[in-house]
Amino acid sequence: MRRKSGFDPYLALIVAVAQLVIAQGATWGQRLLREQLDPYAYALLLVGPLAILFRRRFPLLTVAVALGAMDLFLIGGYAYGPAFLSPGVLLFLLVTGGRRLMAWTMATMTVTSLLSYAWWVGNRDLFHSVSILAFILLFMVVAELVRIVRERRAERERVAEEEARRQASEERLTMAQELHDVLAHNISLIHVQASTALHLIDANPEQARSALATIKTASKEVLGEMRSVLNVLREGAPRSPTAGLDRLDDLVQRSGMEVSLRRVGSRPLPPQVERAAYRIVQESLTNAARHAPGSRVSVRLEYGATELVIVVADTGATKPAVLSEDGSGNGIPGMRERASALGGTLVAGPSGGGFQVEARLPLPEENPT
């Protein structure tokens, strides 16, 4: 508000200069009909601009003062025209400022005062009266249109800001979910491999060495993912996560389990579908490592015309589950939420002696071009 009120002195100065200049021209043009300017006339011409300086604190009073100065200027027999500017500006500012009832009330008083003056000096021409009424009505309608345009523009800006905040929140939520999935998968993998290394370090050093190498790779990846997300949040420029099916082979290789990967068909995928598919496979492998260590896992991706089918199945645990008592229990609900967000479905449950996750993610029709 301070920045807006700082414009009032400049507006008052502009109106004052404009009224004085117009008064000089109007007085010369009406020199045979109206009185010449004198100090009293100049003082009346400055009342309106001075009222503009106080319009925010006294909106009704300032319009009334400017209107009174206009009436006195006309009653004094001075030229038509220059004294109309200040009341017009104040009425316009009332309308655009949202004080519509006050503005229309003062506009009615303006019409009344002008018509009363015309009848007082003997000008009872109906056309003259209708012209005054039509001009002020047109002026007020234009002010209303300006107000409507400004309000609509402000509403569009507000909606755009809310949409930008909503998108930023959704992107941050997506990054938080991505980071959760990365941490859950890699830390579970590290835990499983660390338990394996501790168990085999004396009996089978080579296999323990392999488990430690997997731990090193997984810890490096999770640190890189965390650094990437934190840098994005620090810079305030959200971006889409980079997880995609092109990294699936590397994910399988680092899982520390016997995993067979099969792809049926091929076609380009939307980024959100590809990201969701990767995370579903990742979470499924995490659950298999946690609850069914030593099992064989099969991953199958079927690229259909209308949907992508993901099936991850394990054969059941062949070793003690070192992490069966751990975890937040949000893995399957989280996968189901990812599928539902894209309009798809996810079913998870026992299958044979093991466990199976099947997700169906809808795909847009392929463009022949």
Side-chain angles (χ1 to χ4, degrees):
M1 293 300 293
R2 292 180 179 177
R3 183 169 56 184
K4 289 185 177 180
S5 62
F7 177 70
D8 289 347
Y10 299 101
L11 179 61
L13 179 61
I14 292 171
V15 173
V17 172
Q19 287 195 160
L20 293 176
V21 172
I22 294 173
Q24 295 292 334
T27 300
W28 184 86
Q30 304 171 36
R31 61 188 180 278
L32 301 179
L33 303 174
R34 310 295 292 176
E35 297 292 334
Q36 295 297 307
L37 296 175
D38 55 23
Y40 176 67
Y42 283 115
L44 290 176
L45 289 174
L46 293 176
V47 170
L50 287 175
I52 294 176
L53 295 174
F54 303 96
R55 69 179 185 88
R56 296 184 185 276
R57 295 183 61 185
F58 311 104
L60 181 59
L61 180 61
T62 51
V63 178
V65 168
L67 183 58
M70 179 194 73
D71 292 336
L72 292 175
F73 190 85
L74 294 177
I75 293 172
Y78 303 108
Y80 291 107
F84 301 156
L85 185 58
S86 293
V89 169
L90 288 169
L91 285 175
F92 183 87
L93 293 174
L94 277 181
V95 174
T96 56
R99 303 176 183 270
R100 300 176 60 238
L101 179 59
M102 186 184 299
W104 282 96
T105 302
M106 297 308 297
T108 303
M109 293 181 61
T110 303
V111 172
T112 303
S113 64
L114 290 176
L115 293 180
S116 299
Y117 173 77
W119 281 63
W120 180 66
V121 298
N123 186 358
R124 301 184 179 182
D125 182 15
L126 180 62
F127 178 77
H128 179 265
S129 300
V130 172
S131 299
I132 293 176
L133 178 61
F135 176 80
I136 294 180
L137 182 60
L138 178 62
F139 176 82
M140 295 297 291
V141 169
V142 171
E144 289 283 2
L145 291 176
V146 172
R147 177 190 62 82
I148 292 173
V149 170
R150 287 183 176 179
E151 288 181 353
R152 289 182 177 179
R153 181 188 304 166
E155 179 66 15
R156 286 196 300 269
E157 292 176 353
R158 184 188 64 81
V159 171
E161 290 177 359
E162 289 182 354
E163 179 65 17
R165 286 195 295 267
R166 184 188 64 80
Q167 290 181 356
S169 298
E170 288 182 354
E171 289 173 345
R172 290 187 177 92
L173 182 61
T174 299
M175 286 189 290
Q177 188 176 15
E178 295 290 316
L179 188 58
H180 168 271
D181 291 345
V182 169
L183 288 172
H185 172 75
N186 286 282
I187 292 177
S188 295
L189 180 60
I190 289 171
H191 193 167
V192 170
Q193 296 298 328
S195 300
T196 301
L198 287 174
H199 180 70
L200 299 175
I201 192 168
D202 295 325
N204 195 337
E206 288 301 322
Q207 191 172 352
R209 186 187 302 274
S210 176
L212 292 174
T214 302
I215 291 174
K216 178 182 178 182
T217 303
S219 61
K220 181 179 180 181
E221 177 178 347
V222 72
L223 288 174
E225 290 278 358
M226 289 181 61
R227 187 179 298 112
S228 175
V229 173
L230 293 176
N231 285 339
V232 169
L233 293 174
R234 187 180 300 114
E235 294 168 4
R239 62 174 176 84
S240 297
T242 57
L245 295 179
D246 57 329
R247 299 171 54 188
L248 203 55
D249 291 326
D250 182 58
L251 176 66
V252 168
Q253 184 178 358
R254 291 185 294 100
S255 66
M257 297 183 293
E258 183 180 346
V259 180
S260 63
L261 174 61
R262 180 187 177 192
R263 293 182 173 91
V264 179
S266 177
R267 59 166 293 183
L269 300 177
Q272 62 271 21
V273 174
E274 188 167 352
R275 187 164 58 248
Y278 179 89
R279 294 306 184 193
I280 288 173
V281 174
Q282 184 183 59
E283 183 63 30
S284 299
L285 293 178
T286 301
N287 288 341
R290 178 184 292 126
H291 302 293
S295 66
R296 293 191 303 275
V297 183
S298 63
V299 179
R300 187 173 79 254
L301 303 178
E302 298 181 7
Y303 296 80
T306 60
E307 65 179 5
L308 172 66
V309 180
I310 307 162
V311 180
V312 182
D314 64 69
T315 58
T318 61
K319 299 178 182 179
V322 293
L323 291 178
S324 59
E325 72 282 1
D326 297 332
S328 61
N330 295 325
I332 293 177
M335 291 189 290
R336 197 168 278 129
E337 287 177 5
R338 284 186 178 273
S340 298
L342 299 174
T345 60
L346 186 139
V347 179
S351 176
F355 197 83
Q356 176 175 295
V357 174
E358 179 178 337
R360 295 179 177 270
L361 307 181
L363 299 177
E365 293 184 4
E366 290 188 87
N367 190 342
T369 59

